[in-house]
Amino acid sequence: MNKGMKWGAAVLAAGVLFGGAGVTVGTSVHAAAAKTAAKQDVQPVIVLKANGKTLTQQGKIVNGNTMIPITVLHDALGLPLSYNPGTKTYSIGSGIMKLNLELSDYGVISNLNGYYVYDSINSDQYEAKNLNGHLYVPFKLLNDYMGIKGVWNPSLKSLELGKQAMNDISISSETITKTNKNAGIVIHYPKVSGLAEDVQQKINAVFKEKAEQFAKDSEEKASHRDGKIENVYDFVQSFVVTFNRDGVLSVVIDQYGYTGGAHGSTVREGLTFSLKDGKQLSLGDVLKAAPDYKQKLDSMLKQKTKEVKFNDVTAGLNEKPDFYLKEGGFAIFYQQYEIAPYAAGIPTYAFSFGEVLPKGTDPFAAFK
């Protein structure tokens, strides 16, 4: 057993079941409500491979989701793994791709560097699981947000894990804090480096301007708070990188505000850039090889929203759709209340490029 394997085993030996642990999510606005542990549909194990070798650790299929032990990410892929006993939180990865897994009586609450990934339609596909004292992370979460790829071999029932080839850039998280007696205001926004100076300035100017505008708007709203009868207001901005390959960068930014009442509200924005010239890309820029993409997406979206039956609302493609890129395709989303009640969150629908573009088309050819 090598040093990495010994370390991984030692971390698990510290225990991941904590009786009586409380849920301590600083700002719970982006987090999906933790659900009481229910009986899991756990199916036979999956053989895991990495670097051409078969691993002793195995994956599982839980409720249809392929789950990977977090120790595999450390032992086989070299991602940093740590544990904070004060918050009962395991962390795997680093920087903007640092996945934090907080354990409680209600399950595992996970966030990517402070951003809570949650799918309002398929609520469990991004949920980490505590299975018999061992932590597992959905492969979909790793593939969509942490740059981990997988090659499935159906005959061997094996999944070979590896790291995606990412753009040669660095992305850091900058913070603006404007907390005062009326409100907590904490704003995180991305900053890109490693590009030509004029290109990264153009991209970073967009991120910074949106962050500063949200800070200004939040301070203005907080100035009207009546401290005698209302709770302190809360304003938080967080972000997650959804695609960082092939000369393109796509980022999702969530801006949350609570100004009293039963709950706050979140506004989401997807920002996609060409790293060649810093141009902000529209969905049409990415799908230009399919002149009929609007008609195709409009039809597919109407069908998808009809199937979900949000008060019999069928929503098609907006004139300027909210979208972001993801591995193998893209996602279109609607704001809170736009097509569904608050409880539905931010309805999001994913599409593969193959559903829209002609066969063999490279959507990123113009940006490489």
Side-chain angles (χ1 to χ4, degrees):
M1 181 181 289
N2 61 36
K3 182 179 180 181
M5 293 291 286
K6 290 180 179 178
W7 191 92
V11 171
L12 284 186
V16 296
L17 293 174
F18 298 93
V23 182
T24 55
V25 184
T27 312
S28 61
V29 296
H30 299 294
K35 297 184 293 186
T36 302
K39 184 178 179 180
Q40 305 291 340
D41 177 17
V42 181
Q43 298 179 20
V45 297
I46 295 173
V47 175
L48 296 178
K49 296 184 176 183
N51 303 315
K53 298 180 180 179
T54 299
L55 308 180
T56 56
Q57 301 169 84
Q58 298 174 317
K60 296 180 183 293
I61 297 179
V62 182
N63 299 333
N65 297 314
T66 301
M67 308 294 290
I68 310 298
I70 63 168
T71 47
V72 165
L73 304 177
H74 169 75
D75 297 339
L77 299 183
L79 301 187
L81 175 61
S82 61
Y83 175 66
N84 184 330
T87 60
K88 300 180 175 64
T89 300
Y90 286 85
S91 296
I92 184 77
S94 59
I96 62 167
M97 291 194 293
K98 183 178 182 179
L99 179 64
N100 302 302
L101 305 167
E102 179 190 350
L103 292 95
S104 77
D105 287 341
Y106 302 94
V108 182
I109 299 174
S110 58
N111 71 77
L112 267 168
N113 196 35
Y115 185 96
Y116 292 89
V117 177
Y118 178 68
D119 189 309
S120 60
I121 297 173
N122 301 306
S123 60
D124 64 345
Q125 67 176 342
Y126 290 127
E127 288 185 0
K129 302 290 185 184
N130 185 338
L131 303 175
N132 299 319
H134 297 271
L135 281 175
Y136 288 76
V137 179
F139 173 72
K140 183 169 179 58
L141 176 64
L142 303 175
N143 184 246
D144 286 359
Y145 296 102
M146 296 187 68
I148 305 299
K149 63 181 180 180
V151 178
W152 172 249
N153 186 319
S155 61
L156 299 177
K157 294 184 178 179
S158 66
L159 181 67
E160 179 146 10
L161 301 172
K163 294 182 180 180
Q164 290 281 17
M166 311 295 276
N167 291 316
D168 187 18
I169 61 174
S170 296
I171 307 171
S172 59
S173 179
E174 302 293 308
T175 303
I176 298 174
T177 303
K178 296 285 187 177
T179 298
N180 56 48
K181 66 178 181 180
N182 291 316
I185 304 173
V186 180
I187 298 167
H188 302 288
Y189 66 95
K191 183 177 181 180
V192 178
S193 59
L195 294 169
E197 187 64 28
D198 60 328
V199 174
Q200 65 187 33
Q201 281 186 356
K202 187 183 298 186
I203 296 173
N204 289 332
V206 174
F207 293 140
K208 188 174 182 180
E209 180 181 350
K210 290 182 180 296
E212 291 178 341
Q213 186 61 52
F214 183 54
K216 181 179 178 180
D217 293 344
S218 299
E219 286 185 294
E220 197 279 329
K221 290 177 182 178
S223 68
H224 299 293
R225 169 182 170 266
D226 183 350
K228 296 180 180 179
I229 59 174
E230 296 179 333
N231 294 326
V232 173
Y233 290 175
D234 197 16
F235 300 95
V236 178
Q237 175 175 295
S238 57
F239 73 91
V240 66
V241 174
T242 62
F243 191 80
N244 181 24
R245 300 196 327 113
D246 297 318
V248 175
L249 174 67
S250 197
V251 176
V252 167
I253 292 175
D254 280 4
Q255 294 179 339
Y256 167 85
Y258 174 78
T259 57
H263 54 72
S265 62
T266 298
V267 175
R268 176 167 295 171
E269 185 171 12
L271 299 170
T272 300
F273 299 91
S274 164
L275 301 185
K276 181 183 291 187
D277 55 12
K279 176 187 175 182
Q280 187 172 340
L281 302 176
S282 67
L283 186 59
D285 291 326
V286 180
L287 303 180
K288 61 184 178 181
D292 61 344
Y293 82 90
K294 289 184 178 180
Q295 294 89 335
K296 285 184 178 180
L297 285 176
D298 186 66
S299 177
M300 287 189 286
L301 283 166
K302 285 178 178 176
Q303 184 60 38
K304 286 177 179 288
T305 54
K306 180 180 180 181
E307 291 172 355
V308 177
K309 296 181 180 178
F310 289 150
N311 295 330
D312 297 323
V313 171
T314 55
L317 186 69
N318 291 334
E319 183 63 29
K320 292 184 178 180
D322 288 317
F323 82 100
Y324 57 86
L325 299 184
K326 59 194 301 295
E327 192 61 39
F330 58 97
I332 293 176
F333 59 92
Y334 298 89
Q335 301 297 334
Q336 288 178 338
Y337 295 113
E338 187 176 356
I339 67 168
Y342 177 84
I346 299 177
T348 303
Y349 301 92
F351 300 89
S352 68
F353 287 124
E355 293 179 86
V356 182
L357 296 176
K359 186 176 181 180
T361 300
D362 180 358
F364 307 114
F367 311 120
K368 295 179 181 177

